[in-house]
Amino acid sequence: MYGNDFPADDTSGGLLGEVEAAETALREAAERGRRGAAGVNPAAYFAEVIAADQKVEPRDWMPEAYRATLIRQIAQHAHSEIIGMQPEGNWITRAPSLRRKAILLAKVQDEAGHGLYLYAAAETLGVSRDELVDLLLAGRQKYSSIFNYPTLSWADMGTIGWLVDGAAIVNQVPLCRCSYGPYARAMIRICKEESFHQRQGYEILHTLAHGTPAQREMAQDSVNRWWYPSLAMFGPPDTDSTHSAQSMDWKIKRFSNDELRQRFVDMCVGQAEVLGLALPDPALCWNEERGAYDFTQPDYGELMQVIKGAGPCNRQRMEHRRRAHREGAWVRAAAAAYAAKQANQKEQANQKEKAA
Ligand SMILES: [Fe+2]
Ligand SMILES: [Fe+2]
C-alpha cells in the first residue's frame, strides 16, 4: 500500500513501548497493594506514597497545592483536547477522499473522548466539569497555544498529526507515570490513541511528499509553518518555567520542558529524512559531545503573546467554543432531565421494594 521506504513499525520513537511499560507497572502496583497505613499522619503518608512511586487516589489526603496544581493542569489539558478539535474539524468536509475523511473524523472524535476522560479525571479532585468549562469560557483557564494557529492547507492535517500529536505524545508519555492515579490511568489510553494520530499524520505527509511537485511543496510549506509552534508546545525554557520544580518533586512531572523539547527534536530529525522534507532550521546539527541535536529555540516572545490571547486564531477559537456551548444547552438540559427521571424511577422502585 505504501512505497517501500515507508517505515513499517511505530514512528513514535519507541514511546509506545514506554506507555506499555507504564501500564504494566500500574497493574502490578495495584496488585501489590499499598505499603503503610493511612491514618495517624496523612501528610507523612502522602510523602511515603510519593517516595515509593505509588499512586495517590481520590480518597487520600493530599496537600491543597497538589490538588490545585493537578486541577489546573488536567483542566488545561482537557480544554486543549476540546479546542484542538477545531483546526482539524475545519478540514473534515474538504478531505481529499472518503478514506481520508473517515480517518480524520475518527481522529477528531478521539480528541473529544480525550477531553471527556480528562474532565472525568479532574472531577475526582472535587471540581465539576461545568465549573471547569465556565472557567475556560470566562478566559480564566487556558488551553494549548498551538491551537491558535490556522490550518491553511490539507497538508496541515498531516503536519498536525506528525508534529503536534507527536509533541503531545512526548509530553504525555511521562504522565502515564504521574503520581495521581486517575490522571496516570487516563493518560495510558490517551497515549495509545495519540500514537495512531501521529501515525496517520505521518502517512498523509509521506504521501504528499512523494506526490506531485505541488503536493510536495504544500507539505514542505506546512512543516515550515508548524515546526516552531510545535517546539513551543513544551512551554517556556526551564529558566523561566514557574511550576516545574514543585511538580517534579510531587512526581506529577518527570522531565523538564527543555528535556522534553530536546527529545522531540531528536525524534523528528530522522523521521523528516524518511519523509524527504526539511526541518526549517539551518542551525540543526548533531552534537557529538551532547549526543543530541543542536537546534534553534522557538520565539518565546511569540509564545507569550499567543498565551495572552494575541495569536492568529485565539478570538475565533473562543467564539466558536462559546457558540457551541450555547447551542448545546438543550442537549445538557435534556440529559439532566433524563437523569432526573431515571433517578426518580429508581427511587420509586426502592420504596416499593421496602414497602413489600
Ligand atoms: Fe488528544
Ligand atoms: Fe491527538
Side-chain angles (χ1 to χ4, degrees):
M1 180 168 159
Y2 309 120
N4 284 338
D5 54 348
F6 190 78
D9 42 18
D10 151 43
T11 37
S12 68
L15 291 171
L16 206 48
E18 282 184 41
V19 175
E20 274 154 17
E23 189 176 23
T24 310
L26 256 178
R27 204 177 35 243
E28 286 171 358
E31 280 162 10
R32 270 199 313 274
R34 284 197 300 190
R35 295 190 319 175
V40 232
N41 186 341
Y45 183 65
F46 173 84
E48 195 183 321
V49 167
I50 299 278
D53 246 333
Q54 294 177 331
K55 301 296 167 205
V56 178
E57 296 296 341
R59 63 180 178 276
D60 294 337
W61 180 90
M62 59 189 89
E64 272 318 301
Y66 176 84
R67 185 187 300 276
T69 299
L70 277 168
I71 291 176
R72 194 194 65 244
Q73 180 172 336
I74 300 174
Q76 176 166 333
H77 192 165
H79 300 326
S80 302
E81 301 283 357
I82 299 296
I83 300 271
M85 291 193 284
Q86 291 185 39
E88 289 167 294
N90 180 33
W91 279 88
I92 290 172
T93 54
R94 292 178 283 168
S97 69
L98 184 59
R99 173 174 172 268
R100 293 291 186 202
K101 187 173 180 150
I103 296 171
L104 186 60
L105 254 178
K107 195 254 182 193
V108 173
Q109 279 180 333
D110 278 356
E111 305 300 5
H114 297 175
L116 298 186
Y117 311 154
L118 289 163
Y119 284 126
E123 285 190 319
T124 65
L125 291 157
V127 275
S128 73
R129 181 167 140 197
D130 283 349
E131 285 172 71
L132 298 178
V133 170
D134 287 346
L135 286 169
L136 171 71
L137 298 184
R140 291 176 49 209
Q141 279 182 341
K142 307 273 183 214
Y143 56 90
S144 175
S145 57
I146 192 76
F147 302 118
N148 292 312
Y149 289 86
T151 41
L152 304 179
S153 71
W154 170 254
D156 287 1
M157 299 307 98
T159 310
I160 287 182
W162 178 42
L163 294 180
V164 175
D165 290 277
I169 298 175
V170 172
N171 241 326
Q172 293 171 11
V173 164
L175 293 173
C176 296
R177 295 192 291 123
C178 163
S179 59
Y180 188 58
Y183 194 28
R185 290 189 285 271
M187 288 321 301
I188 285 178
R189 181 150 170 196
I190 289 176
C191 283
K192 288 183 178 176
E193 292 175 355
E194 292 302 351
S195 134
F196 151 66
H197 298 171
Q198 196 241 11
R199 182 75 175 170
Q200 65 86 38
Y202 194 77
E203 197 248 330
I204 290 175
L205 277 186
H206 191 271
T207 305
L208 292 174
H210 293 77
T212 64
Q215 285 175 321
R216 220 195 118 66
E217 201 179 304
M218 180 168 67
Q220 183 62 60
D221 167 69
S222 175
V223 170
N224 293 349
R225 282 182 289 109
W226 289 93
W227 175 246
Y228 287 104
S230 301
L231 292 185
M233 281 175 73
F234 296 92
D238 293 351
T239 44
D240 302 352
S241 184
T242 42
H243 305 298
S244 277
Q246 179 64 80
S247 286
M248 302 265 262
D249 286 349
W250 279 330
K251 296 186 181 168
I252 294 174
K253 235 182 127 126
R254 301 278 180 161
F255 300 98
S256 75
N257 295 354
D258 287 335
E259 283 169 333
L260 293 168
R261 195 172 358 252
Q262 180 72 57
R263 189 173 190 181
F264 176 68
V265 171
D266 293 345
M267 178 179 113
C268 287
V269 174
Q271 296 180 0
E273 271 166 29
V274 174
L275 288 174
L277 295 172
L279 295 174
D281 181 359
L284 193 68
C285 79
W286 179 250
N287 182 325
E288 194 67 54
E289 229 167 82
R290 292 199 306 119
Y293 284 91
D294 288 338
F295 62 97
T296 307
Q297 295 289 324
D299 178 348
Y300 294 113
E302 177 181 315
L303 173 66
M304 286 306 142
Q305 284 305 309
V306 179
I307 290 175
K308 280 186 193 143
C313 300
N314 294 58
R315 179 191 282 263
Q316 181 189 332
R317 300 290 184 239
M318 284 309 295
E319 275 175 11
H320 186 93
R321 184 68 193 82
R322 289 196 182 97
R323 189 172 65 243
H325 191 69
R326 266 196 317 274
E327 289 174 357
W330 70 272
V331 180
R332 293 191 296 280
Y338 181 72
K341 192 171 122 188
Q342 295 290 97
N344 197 14
Q345 280 173 355
K346 206 172 169 191
E347 176 62 27
Q348 280 178 358
N350 281 347
Q351 302 249 336
K352 247 188 218 167
E353 211 171 281
K354 265 189 207 158

